[in-house]
Amino acid sequence: MASCRAAVAGIGGRALIERLIRKLERRDTLADFERRALVESVGEVREFRPHEILVREGVEQSSSHLLLEGLLCRYKDLRDGRRQIVALHVPGDFADLHSFLLKHLEHNLAALTPVRIAVFPHDRLRQISESLPHLTRMLWFSTLLDAAIHRQWILSIGRRSAVGRIAHLFCELRARLEVVGLANEARYGLALTQIDIADATGLTPVHVNRMLRELRDRGLLEFRNGEVAITDNDGLARLAEFDPGYLYLQKQPR
C-alpha cells in the first residue's frame, strides 16, 4: 500500500510527466495532442517507501506505473530468499507497461528508494491504443527498449567479467539518466547499495566491493555516498565494452 496518495488535479500537468516526454522525444517527436493524452491518462500519484512492493507476482493488475522520482527494481526470488534484480528503472520509465496486456506480472516490482509514481489505469491506456496509433507505437517502443536492455543484462551475467558487469551497469545508467536530465558525462546520483548492485549483477556484496575498489584504483570511477563520479568515461566504456546502440538514442519516425 502506498504511504501516501495525491490526486492528479493541480499537480502540474505536463511537468508531472516531463521525464517520460523527454525520453520519448529523444527518439521521435510527439504532437501536442499526444502529450496532452498522456497527461490526461494519469489517474493518481502515489508515494512508496524504500523496499515497499508496488506490484506482487501473480496479482492481477488494472493499471501501469510510471516512475517520476527515485529508483525501482523488478526482481525474482528463489525459495532460499536470494534475490535477482532483473531490471532497474529510472525516472521517466514505465516499470510495468506490459501488464496492460499480460494482466499480471511473473515478477515483483519494488521501490529501492523513496519513489513517486504516476498511475495509468488500463482503461485509459486502452483509449490511447484505440485512438492514437503513433503514441501507441511510442509506448510499444518503450517495452521493446526494456527487452533490449534485458538482453544486455543477460550478456553481462553470462559472459562479462565481474568488473565488466559493474562497469557496464554504470555506463548504461549514466546514459539512461542523461536522457531525462539527471546525469552528465562526469557525474550522477545513484542511491543504490552494494547489495542492490550485487543482486543486479549476480555477484556477492563482497565481490562488488572489490570490483568498485578496482574501478577506483584504475582511475575510472568512484562510487560513494550515492554518487557516481566518472573520471575516465572512455576507459570505463572500453572496459565494459559498452555500445549505447541498444538504447536506440537516435531520433527518427517510429
Side-chain angles (χ1 to χ4, degrees):
M1 178 65 67
S3 54
C4 75
R5 300 186 180 187
V8 174
I11 285 179
R14 171 171 169 164
L16 178 70
I17 60 170
E18 179 62 29
R19 291 193 173 111
L20 170 64
I21 292 173
R22 287 184 64 153
K23 176 182 172 180
L24 296 178
E25 291 203 317
R26 177 65 181 265
R27 281 86 177 190
D28 197 358
T29 300
L30 296 180
D32 287 341
F33 66 86
E34 292 174 318
R35 299 186 198 102
R36 187 166 57 251
L38 287 171
V39 172
E40 293 173 351
S41 295
V42 178
E44 62 179 332
V45 172
R46 300 178 182 176
E47 295 182 1
F48 292 83
R49 298 181 296 270
H51 313 302
E52 198 167 358
I53 296 176
L54 285 70
V55 178
R56 290 189 180 274
E57 177 181 356
V59 176
E60 187 164 347
Q61 299 299 306
S62 60
S63 59
S64 293
H65 302 81
L66 171 69
L67 180 58
L68 304 176
E69 297 175 6
L71 294 171
L72 289 174
C73 74
R74 298 190 226 167
Y75 72 94
K76 295 280 290 183
D77 281 326
L78 294 177
R79 290 179 182 175
D80 62 6
R82 286 180 294 166
R83 177 183 68 163
Q84 179 65 48
I85 292 177
V86 297
L88 289 172
H89 287 290
V90 304
D93 286 355
F94 265 111
D96 59 343
L97 188 57
H98 50 299
S99 72
F100 171 48
L101 293 179
L102 295 178
K103 304 308 178 186
H104 67 268
L105 302 182
E106 81 294 339
H107 55 273
N108 297 304
L109 177 64
L112 291 173
T113 68
V115 300
R116 292 180 72 233
I117 301 291
V119 178
F120 284 69
H122 286 166
D123 59 350
R124 301 188 189 181
L125 292 175
R126 183 172 293 105
Q127 291 172 12
I128 288 176
S129 70
E130 292 173 350
S131 60
L132 298 172
H134 175 256
L135 182 55
T136 298
R137 290 196 299 274
M138 292 304 295
L139 295 178
W140 183 18
F141 171 88
S142 294
T143 65
L144 297 177
L145 180 58
D146 285 346
I149 292 171
H150 285 160
R151 287 188 287 274
Q152 281 293 326
W153 280 42
I154 291 170
L155 176 61
S156 282
I157 291 177
R159 288 292 179 259
R160 287 191 174 100
S161 66
V163 70
R165 294 181 205 182
I166 296 175
H168 197 276
L169 182 64
F170 283 128
C171 287
E172 178 188 292
L173 290 173
R174 187 205 63 77
R176 291 169 61 192
L177 287 165
E178 186 178 27
V179 167
V180 294
L182 293 174
N184 56 46
E185 289 193 353
R187 190 175 301 273
Y188 60 92
L190 187 67
L192 293 179
T193 67
Q194 292 188 18
I195 293 175
D196 295 332
I197 295 173
D199 287 349
T201 56
L203 302 169
T204 67
V206 171
H207 205 166
V208 168
N209 183 270
R210 291 172 181 161
M211 296 305 98
L212 290 173
R213 186 164 60 247
E214 180 174 341
L215 291 172
R216 183 192 64 213
D217 292 345
R218 291 192 187 197
L220 299 177
L221 69 76
E222 289 195 36
F223 175 54
R224 62 178 61 187
N225 300 322
E227 186 169 85
V228 179
I230 301 176
T231 46
D232 183 353
N233 217 335
D234 291 341
L236 185 67
R238 282 194 301 272
L239 173 62
E241 296 187 58
F242 178 71
D243 178 353
Y246 72 97
L247 297 175
Y248 294 90
L249 297 172
Q250 65 274 21
K251 191 166 187 172
Q252 63 186 84
R254 305 287 176 179

